[in-house]
Amino acid sequence: MDIKDYKLLSEQLSALVHGVPHLTANLANASALLWSALENINWAGFYLMEDGILVLGPFQGKPACIEIRPGRGVCGTAVERDETQSVPNVLEFPGHIACDAASRSEVVVPLHKSGLVVGVLDVDSARVGRFSEDDRQGLELFARTLEAELEELL
Ligand code: SME
């Protein structure tokens, strides 16, 4: 998908979650939207900060690790640096946490509330180099849309 498709996807996301006062339901629908729109992915979902630790949230894909500490793996690195991580080959990422052994590339985008990181969006693929610069920017747009729509709920 190019950035134009991600703009459309973010509009669909807004339509799906706008005015819905349930965080879990909205994140579940957001992960289902990514799962149905993106080709060649094997996991799409969320981890949310609870008492300083990332805890597994709504997702699509195989069962995943439940807790991740900041600084650990791709997700924990995104939190610690407060910076999107786009990893073309997770086998070359020191400390990568293999939830699904088939995963090869991964994008993790931090989610914020009032400027603080409150969770991450994580999308994985079994293909090396699956995510382009457009995918990275598009998933950041998706995350920014979610932050704006769910500001009261996060
Ligand atoms: N691979 C991630 C862990 C989460 S799963 O991919 C769903 C990481 O290294 O943080």
Side-chain angles (χ1 to χ4, degrees):
M1 301 212 314
D2 61 22
I3 201 69
K4 173 169 57 59
D5 298 317
Y6 277 104
K7 282 185 181 149
L8 188 60
L9 193 66
S10 291
E11 286 169 19
Q12 290 171 340
L13 172 66
S14 286
L16 203 54
V17 303
H18 190 75
V20 179
H22 305 293
L23 180 62
T24 306
N26 286 331
L27 294 181
N29 268 339
S31 64
L33 186 63
L34 286 171
W35 187 252
S36 58
L38 299 185
E39 290 178 352
N40 299 314
I41 61 169
N42 67 344
W43 206 88
F46 299 92
Y47 281 86
L48 298 176
M49 292 296 281
E50 278 182 37
D51 298 328
I53 295 176
L54 285 169
V55 178
L56 182 63
F59 69 95
Q60 303 275 308
K62 288 191 179 168
C65 43
I66 293 165
E67 293 183 348
I68 300 175
R69 293 187 178 278
R72 304 291 301 274
V74 183
C75 291
T77 300
V79 168
E80 195 174 64
R81 297 186 186 165
D82 190 1
E83 181 183 275
T84 299
Q85 303 296 304
S86 181
V87 180
N89 186 351
V90 294
L91 300 182
E92 292 170 4
F93 188 95
H96 165 251
I97 301 162
C99 292
D100 181 344
S103 290
R104 285 296 175 273
S105 53
E106 175 163 0
V107 175
V108 179
V109 185
L111 295 169
H112 305 86
K113 181 192 174 95
S114 308
L116 296 175
V117 178
V118 291
V120 297
L121 164 65
D122 181 4
V123 184
D124 297 359
S125 170
R127 291 192 178 187
V128 170
R130 155 70 181 79
F131 301 102
S132 66
E133 178 60 18
D134 267 14
D135 287 307
R136 188 183 67 76
Q137 286 182 18
L139 291 170
E140 286 179 338
L141 174 65
F142 193 90
R144 299 294 83 83
T145 305
L146 207 53
E147 284 171 352
E149 290 288 353
L150 307 188
E151 204 182 357
E152 311 283 300
L153 303 174
L154 279 168

